[in-house]
Amino acid sequence: MLTETDKKKLENYIDKTLNEVRSGAERSIQNHLPNQQVIEQVASATANKMSGVSKMMITSIYNMLSEKTLSGELYQKIENEAAFRSLNILNDLNKKFSFEVPAKIDYTESQTQLEPLIAAGAVTVAGGVISIAASSLTPIGVSIVIAAIMYYTINSKKQEQNTFNINDVIETYLKNVKLSMMQWIRTIETYYDQRVMELEQGLKK
């Protein structure tokens, strides 16, 4: 499991990235861009940025977790360390996600693309927060997930309010992206821990 310090580092990096998007959105609103254009810009910018961030983070998370694992007494034996490295967990994690960003990002279309994954149980949506199952066999596009959060955020806001407040929509969207990213980190932890547990059960026999 990640330490609280590690989690905070990852959270801070997510916050920094989303603050960049927030600043861009504030400038667009101040320049009186139409609400729909601001929404599309924010969804596209966030999907672009978080796709790159998530690719870097997945390596960082693995390094944090594996450093702790390999410091354990069990892995002081060279053959046990070799058995761990032969699992290629990082490689398998990278295969579970697609970090490619399409030339054009449409949050409505992204939601449509997500529907089969929701039906298959690979993805769940609660409010505007999206969670990905660690057991999913289908590579899931990070940009699709991030963009689709905008669709669910807007729908949720329509049910809550009669009036449309662009600032509130953007702020709620960025909050939902952060919560989804933190849930994604937990998904990676769960997958990693499961793989290590299975290995250690064999090593201790």
Side-chain angles (χ1 to χ4, degrees):
M1 295 291 289
L2 292 169
T3 65
E4 290 304 313
T5 301
D6 289 338
K7 289 178 184 176
K8 194 63 184 174
K9 286 179 183 177
L10 296 168
E11 183 179 1
N12 288 343
Y13 196 64
I14 293 169
D15 284 339
K16 180 183 177 183
T17 304
L18 295 181
N19 281 336
E20 293 172 3
V21 176
R22 183 179 286 107
S23 296
E26 289 170 354
R27 287 193 296 272
S28 295
I29 293 170
Q30 289 168 3
N31 290 332
H32 306 292
L33 264 66
N35 287 345
Q36 186 59 33
Q37 189 174 341
V38 174
I39 287 170
E40 290 171 357
Q41 284 184 354
V42 169
S44 180
T46 309
N48 267 288
K49 286 179 179 291
M50 295 313 297
S51 291
V53 165
S54 60
K55 187 172 184 178
M56 290 186 289
M57 282 180 65
I58 208 167
T59 300
S60 296
I61 295 166
Y62 171 79
N63 288 339
M64 290 170 176
L65 291 167
S66 62
E67 182 179 352
K68 184 178 179 183
T69 298
L70 293 173
S71 67
E73 185 178 348
L74 182 66
Y75 296 97
Q76 300 317 300
K77 291 183 178 180
I78 295 176
E79 60 269 30
N80 289 349
E81 179 183 346
F84 169 81
R85 295 193 184 282
S86 71
L87 292 177
N88 290 320
I89 296 176
L90 179 58
N91 185 54
D92 290 344
L93 279 168
N94 278 312
K95 288 179 180 177
K96 285 186 169 291
F97 306 99
S98 169
F99 304 101
E100 293 181 7
V101 180
K104 186 178 186 305
I105 297 172
D106 184 318
Y107 67 88
T108 304
E109 184 179 320
S110 293
Q111 184 272 337
T112 302
Q113 291 176 294
L114 215 57
E115 283 298 319
L117 295 172
I118 295 172
V123 170
T124 57
V125 181
V129 179
I130 295 178
S131 302
I132 299 170
S135 58
S136 173
L137 299 176
T138 306
I140 296 173
V142 174
S143 63
I144 292 172
V145 171
I146 298 299
I149 293 171
M150 181 63 86
Y151 174 90
Y152 294 111
T153 298
I154 291 173
N155 269 14
S156 178
K157 284 295 174 186
K158 284 179 180 177
Q159 293 173 13
E160 294 174 6
Q161 305 168 352
N162 293 323
T163 56
F164 186 90
N165 184 315
I166 185 64
N167 291 290
D168 187 32
V169 169
I170 298 305
E171 198 55 42
T172 302
Y173 169 69
L174 295 177
K175 175 185 173 184
N176 287 340
V177 169
K178 177 179 177 177
L179 290 172
S180 298
M181 287 298 296
M182 296 306 291
Q183 183 61 46
W184 178 72
I185 291 170
R186 285 191 286 274
T187 296
I188 294 171
E189 276 189 281
T190 299
Y191 178 81
Y192 176 93
D193 289 344
Q194 181 64 34
R195 294 288 302 276
V196 172
M197 183 182 71
E198 290 169 357
L199 171 66
E200 293 183 352
Q201 286 174 345
L203 293 177
K204 291 175 181 177
K205 285 181 179 178

